[in-house]
Amino acid sequence: MATCPRGCAPAVRLCQKLNRLKTLEDDMMATSLKRCLSTLDLTLMGVGGMVGSGLYVLTGTVAKDTAGPAVIISFVFAGIASLLAAFCYAEFGARIPKTGSAYMFTYVSVGELWAFLIGWNVILENMIGGAAVARAWSGYLDSIFNHAIQNFTETHIMQWNVPFLAHYPDLLAAGILVVASFFISFGVQVSSYLNHIFSTVSMGVIVFILVFGFVLAEPANWSQEQGGFAPYGMSGILAGSATCFYAFVGFDVIASSSEEAKNPQKAVPIATAISLGLAATAYILVSTVLTLMVPWHTLDPNSALADAFFRRGYSWAGIVVAVGSICAMNTVLLCNLFSLPRIVYAMAEDGLFFSIFARVNPITKVPVNAILVFGILMATMALIFDLEALVQFLSIGTLLAYTFVAASVIVLRFQPEKTSSKGTPSTSPIPNNEPSPAPLESQTISEDSEEPKQYESFSDKLQLVERQKQKERRGVGQLKACWEPYLDRLLGDCEPGEVVAFCVLTLIVSSVSLCVVLEFGQKQLQLPLWSFTMLLVIFSLAYILSLAIIWVHEPQRNNKTFQVPLVPLTPGASILFNVFLMMKLSLLTWIRFTVWIAIGLFVYFGYGIWHSKEGIRELQPKDMAARYVVLPSGSLVETVQSVQPDSQLDTSAHHIDSPAASAAEECNRKR
């Protein structure tokens, strides 16, 4: 029994490393980047990140192959799930105005390994997003010239018939990514200016599509003769929602830009709400127009809107749509190339990724190395992969990131604020999970004694003095006073926030289990009805009970920045929605995702865990804990004096003309 702790010590230390939290600076607004973005800039970035190839390509693809005209409902479901996630991103972006998006949010609340994996997936999300948009951009431009570019490439350059790859190398898509990376490297103001131009043109074209499209609408295209409104049923609608989620992933560019915003506390929530509302409205209305203009089963997946106008005899309108789509896709390209290097920069700045990507150009104030390297990698993906494979692979990483961000909101909302040595709350919202060392028994003097009392740290004395007050006042992460008579015996002995963290884990596990049973229980697993029903009831009760236990604890109440409403219900619903959409993705998508995760683990354990700045900070020698001498009759502020280490008593002792100083010197002489 005695050898067990020693044998388990390496595993315990490894778990501590994997779950260590990021320490935030006192000045949250300090940055090596340039704060120059306004609320309008962030809003147009959000609109540009969401309204692009998803509007001009994804609507036709999902309508033809997955949901039919019911793609409208698919976009509604995906928009609701995105709204829940957007609330969580808005709170974090306002509260922690640092670049890194979901990676940063997970690092400050859940742990290092999970943050790295989320960042690793967000990197893939942006790479695939940019490559998919470049592919769509190339396809739309090719449609204007009657596919002359594709025919020329296949005839005079090369083509291949390799599984999982495109039929031909898309040189045009790769070239536009290289050019866009070059412009992005000039700085955030250049990127914002270009985004303003392209977004304005794109929104003007969308208005044109809606007005002219409703004029050409034919309700007969939703009739039973054409297959009906929902030819693939509810299963097709939900599967379409999982793919349509790709359309809304761009709003996280706002959170990624929070470190470069002038006033992130106000700008991030406002920009997130406005941009998501505009994007959802545009997707729903455009998909309505598209499926009413032509029969859904005749749509061209590569250029659905432009082809619809061409087929109705308005070729000039098709050209206008094609030009607008190219402008919209340019905004998405800019947003992807804007977000990706900053996430890489954040990970490299923390030591979890290669340090070369943490370098910021002193003139442009952007991470040029990350922009150029990952811009080339993105161009390579656009060169060899087709659009469908890229879109399917994109959603899973996004949904996983949204799930962890929602969980992080709950964890942070019920964690007590960290207090500094001066007794004031630290600006960092993350508590230090390392318990302060308990005072030695020999140093603890009976409270009835009139001799000076000596403590290892100021917090020990503070805890002793306010013990009675803490019993009366319920702190953050503790049971609410009204529930204490009923649950104190069961949960009262836990540390503040500990029960909530466990319930969040239970919430995620029960959500996954519930969605697995719903999706695979009766078909793939072939469960009998009684077993299927019993599992649904058990996992539903576990989900609801977890939310209820979280709710009976005291949350933080911070009115200075935006907070997600109805916590834990809103992030809990986001977790359930995201997990369910992940279950709708194909097996091949999960296999690709698993391979990418395995590569990420290799990078983390080969490099990140050894170069983590949090790990280096832990290894640095710590100063001896200051001791404080408190007279029973004195107040805390007036009678506290730090005692220097013995080796420095002669040269650096700080004397205070007070009874406490004399008592401290007497204690040192006795030692």
Side-chain angles (χ1 to χ4, degrees):
M1 296 295 292
T3 59
C4 182
R6 290 196 296 269
C8 296
V12 172
R13 286 196 297 270
L14 177 61
C15 290
Q16 290 175 343
K17 289 182 179 180
L18 299 182
N19 291 282
R20 56 195 170 200
L21 304 179
K22 178 176 175 60
T23 303
L24 296 175
E25 300 85 356
D26 290 338
D27 186 3
M28 296 289 288
M29 296 295 288
T31 177
S32 58
L33 304 178
K34 185 177 181 180
R35 290 196 178 273
C36 58
L37 298 178
S38 64
T39 303
L40 177 62
D41 296 329
L42 294 179
T43 301
L44 290 178
M45 276 189 170
V47 173
M50 288 182 280
V51 181
S53 58
L55 186 74
Y56 293 93
V57 178
L58 197 61
T59 49
T61 302
V62 176
K64 182 176 183 179
D65 300 331
T66 308
V71 64
I72 300 168
I73 303 178
S74 296
F75 275 116
V76 172
F77 286 165
I80 293 173
S82 298
L83 178 64
L84 298 176
F87 277 140
C88 302
Y89 271 80
E91 174 171 334
F92 269 117
R95 185 175 180 181
I96 307 173
K98 294 292 182 181
T99 191
S101 189
Y103 155 77
M104 179 64 66
F105 307 154
T106 307
Y107 202 174
V108 300
S109 57
V110 179
E112 183 172 288
L113 174 62
W114 312 107
F116 177 86
L117 293 178
I118 291 300
W120 187 248
N121 278 290
V122 172
I123 289 175
L124 181 65
E125 168 197 327
N126 282 274
M127 289 178 62
I128 292 178
V133 172
R135 270 277 178 177
W137 187 96
S138 173
Y140 250 88
L141 187 64
D142 195 24
S143 68
I144 297 177
F145 299 101
N146 197 23
H147 303 289
I149 300 174
Q150 177 181 349
N151 295 333
F152 179 83
T153 304
E154 292 179 345
T155 303
H156 297 90
I157 300 179
M158 67 179 299
Q159 62 176 320
W160 53 57
N161 293 314
V162 181
F164 314 124
L165 298 181
H167 297 297
Y168 67 98
D170 198 333
L171 299 175
L172 184 61
I176 187 60
L177 283 170
V178 173
V179 173
S181 301
F182 177 74
F183 279 105
I184 289 290
S185 64
F186 281 105
V188 63
Q189 288 180 316
V190 175
S191 306
S192 178
Y193 179 73
L194 291 174
N195 183 70
H196 284 193
I197 296 175
F198 291 133
S199 295
T200 302
V201 175
S202 175
M203 287 187 288
V205 172
I206 291 173
V207 173
F208 167 79
I209 292 172
L210 295 178
V211 173
F212 198 27
F214 275 115
V215 172
L216 300 176
E218 295 181 358
N221 290 324
W222 284 5
S223 64
Q224 290 297 326
E225 290 76 9
Q226 298 294 344
F229 179 74
Y232 298 99
M234 182 57 68
S235 177
I237 292 173
L238 295 177
S241 298
T243 305
C244 289
F245 210 82
Y246 159 72
F248 297 99
V249 300
F251 71 79
D252 61 351
V253 69
I254 299 174
S256 299
S257 309
S258 60
E259 191 166 341
E260 292 161 284
K262 296 177 182 178
N263 187 5
Q265 285 75 19
K266 292 183 178 179
V268 170
I270 294 174
T272 301
I274 295 176
S275 60
L276 187 61
L278 290 175
T281 302
Y283 276 112
I284 294 171
L285 292 179
V286 169
S287 58
T288 302
V289 166
L290 177 63
T291 53
L292 285 173
M293 285 177 61
V294 294
W296 60 270
H297 52 80
T298 64
L299 293 171
D300 181 2
N302 292 323
S303 55
L305 280 169
D307 183 68
F309 281 104
F310 274 116
R311 288 167 54 191
R312 293 300 300 270
Y314 296 93
S315 57
W316 61 271
I319 296 175
V320 172
V321 172
V323 172
S325 69
I326 291 175
C327 289
M329 294 178 199
N330 284 337
T331 63
V332 180
L333 281 178
L334 291 173
C335 290
N336 278 279
L337 286 169
F338 183 88
S339 298
L340 176 58
R342 282 153 179 81
I343 295 167
V344 174
Y345 161 79
M347 297 176 67
E349 182 72 12
D350 292 332
L352 302 185
F353 208 51
F354 305 111
S355 59
I356 188 175
F357 298 124
R359 299 175 185 172
V360 176
N361 187 283
I363 299 176
T364 60
K365 299 293 184 180
V366 294
V368 175
N369 292 339
I371 292 173
L372 297 180
V373 170
F374 282 88
I376 293 174
L377 290 176
M378 197 182 295
T380 304
M381 295 184 69
L383 186 70
I384 62 177
F385 289 108
D386 63 7
L387 180 63
E388 183 179 359
L390 291 171
V391 169
Q392 287 183 353
F393 197 14
L394 174 65
S395 296
I396 188 169
T398 306
L399 290 167
L400 185 66
Y402 288 177
T403 301
F404 269 84
V405 170
S408 300
V409 166
I410 303 176
V411 172
L412 274 187
R413 182 67 66 85
F414 292 89
Q415 286 282 11
E417 292 279 355
K418 179 181 177 181
T419 54
S420 64
S421 59
K422 296 180 180 180
T424 57
S426 171
T427 54
S428 172
I430 308 306
N432 187 353
N433 289 336
E434 297 180 1
S436 58
L440 297 177
E441 186 175 350
S442 61
Q443 294 171 322
T444 305
I445 302 176
S446 172
E447 295 186 22
D448 296 332
S449 173
E450 293 300 324
E451 296 180 7
K453 302 185 180 78
Q454 185 170 324
Y455 299 88
E456 282 295 318
S457 66
F458 182 76
S459 60
D460 295 330
K461 178 59 183 175
L462 191 63
Q463 183 178 6
L464 179 63
V465 172
E466 297 190 349
R467 186 175 298 168
Q468 295 299 326
K469 294 182 180 179
Q470 289 178 352
K471 291 182 179 179
E472 300 173 0
R473 183 182 66 249
R474 309 307 298 168
V476 174
Q478 296 179 322
L479 282 173
K480 294 179 179 178
C482 59
W483 293 99
E484 187 175 359
Y486 309 100
L487 300 174
D488 185 65
R489 183 173 298 180
L490 180 63
L491 305 175
D493 294 335
C494 299
E495 293 292 328
E498 184 178 356
V499 175
V500 172
F502 177 78
C503 287
V504 169
L505 178 61
T506 306
L507 194 69
I508 295 175
V509 173
S510 60
S511 298
V512 173
S513 304
L514 180 61
C515 293
V516 167
V517 173
L518 282 173
E519 182 64 23
F520 308 111
Q522 291 184 316
K523 295 182 180 179
Q524 287 84 347
L525 299 179
Q526 296 182 349
L527 295 175
L529 181 60
W530 68 268
S531 177
F532 176 79
T533 305
M534 183 183 67
L535 290 176
L536 285 182
V537 172
I538 291 174
F539 294 134
S540 299
L541 288 177
Y543 177 85
I544 296 172
L545 185 61
S546 299
L547 290 177
I549 294 177
I550 295 172
W551 179 74
V552 300
H553 287 78
E554 287 285 351
Q556 292 182 10
R557 291 178 172 85
N558 180 11
N559 298 324
K560 296 181 180 179
T561 60
F562 172 80
Q563 286 195 316
V564 178
L566 301 177
V567 172
L569 182 60
T570 300
S574 178
I575 292 173
L576 183 62
F577 214 137
N578 296 334
V579 171
F580 182 74
L581 291 179
M582 290 172 70
M583 297 300 167
K584 303 295 293 186
L585 298 175
S586 65
L587 177 62
L588 183 59
T589 300
W590 280 96
I591 294 174
R592 294 168 178 166
F593 173 74
T594 304
V595 172
W596 180 252
I597 287 292
I599 297 173
L601 290 174
F602 178 79
V603 173
Y604 175 74
F605 286 105
Y607 181 88
I609 195 172
W610 306 105
H611 296 82
S612 169
K613 289 189 176 180
E614 292 300 323
I616 296 174
R617 184 179 288 110
E618 291 176 357
L619 295 176
Q620 290 176 347
K622 298 180 176 63
D623 297 334
M624 291 184 64
R627 300 186 180 91
Y628 299 88
V629 177
V630 181
L631 294 176
S633 60
S635 65
L636 289 175
V637 176
E638 293 176 351
T639 60
V640 171
Q641 179 198 353
S642 62
V643 178
Q644 300 292 337
D646 293 341
S647 60
Q648 301 176 5
L649 285 175
D650 296 335
T651 58
S652 60
H654 181 67
H655 298 282
I656 300 178
D657 294 333
S658 67
S662 302
E665 294 174 359
E666 180 64 21
C667 290
N668 288 328
R669 285 197 296 270
K670 289 180 179 180
R671 296 182 64 199

